[in-house]
Amino acid sequence: MEEAQAGSLIILLSGVLVGVAFGFILQRGRYCSNSAFRDIIFINDYTLFRSYLLALIVAIIGANFLEDLGFMGDGLRRQGLAPIANIIGGYIFGLGIVLAGGCGSGVLYRIGEGLVAALFATLGFVIGIVTTSKGMLKPVYALLRSYKVEIGGTSSPALWDLFGGPGMKWVVIGVVALVIIPFVLKGKP
């Protein structure tokens, strides 16, 4: 019993430490995906967009490495391609982050700064998620996700399925990284 409590305490403390470090990095870097794209349009600044691309490359490499090692659970596996759900959901989410003044990460670090409006935005995100996944919008969600597209004979396609299947996985990831990294390194330090 004591070992289980010690394990739970370690998980709790590591979660708090990672959360504090993540919050510190987000707040100091003022990182927000919404701001990354907004800055390109309004002030012609690509700094946050470069950090977005760097985070994207790290996530692509990291997630696929963990997938190859067998560490991805069912909830983290690649989803099926449901283009209608993706387009409508992306539009609604994009509209929401514009109205909220930031994406999930931007709103979270603003809560830490004491912005009450960010707390209401987070509450709106939570209500939207619960309503869609378990509430009255669940049938609409299921209907939109029911139309799926197969690419390369798989219902959960990846970019490399367009270029020859799983054997091309790391080649395609490498090419994508080689295309993005020079743009990331081109910016200010």
Side-chain angles (χ1 to χ4, degrees), residues 31-133:
Y31 184 75
C32 173
S33 300
N34 181 43
S35 298
F37 290 94
R38 184 180 57 215
D39 286 357
I40 293 171
I41 296 167
F42 291 117
I43 60 175
N44 200 28
D45 183 2
Y46 289 82
T47 306
L48 284 178
F49 184 68
R50 285 185 179 94
S51 66
Y52 171 80
L53 290 176
L54 181 61
L56 181 66
I57 290 296
V58 169
I60 289 170
I61 292 170
N64 282 286
F65 182 69
L66 290 173
E67 183 182 57
D68 286 353
L69 293 176
F71 289 125
M72 298 298 253
D74 288 337
L76 295 175
R77 293 206 186 278
R78 196 174 305 113
Q79 301 290 314
L81 178 59
I84 295 171
N86 293 346
I87 292 167
I88 293 172
Y91 177 77
I92 293 170
F93 183 74
L95 184 63
I97 65 174
V98 169
L99 293 174
C103 65
S105 63
V107 170
L108 285 177
Y109 83 73
R110 288 184 184 109
I111 288 174
E113 292 177 339
L115 186 64
V116 176
L119 188 60
F120 287 109
T122 303
L123 182 62
F125 283 148
V126 170
I127 289 170
I129 290 168
V130 171
T131 304
T132 304
S133 63

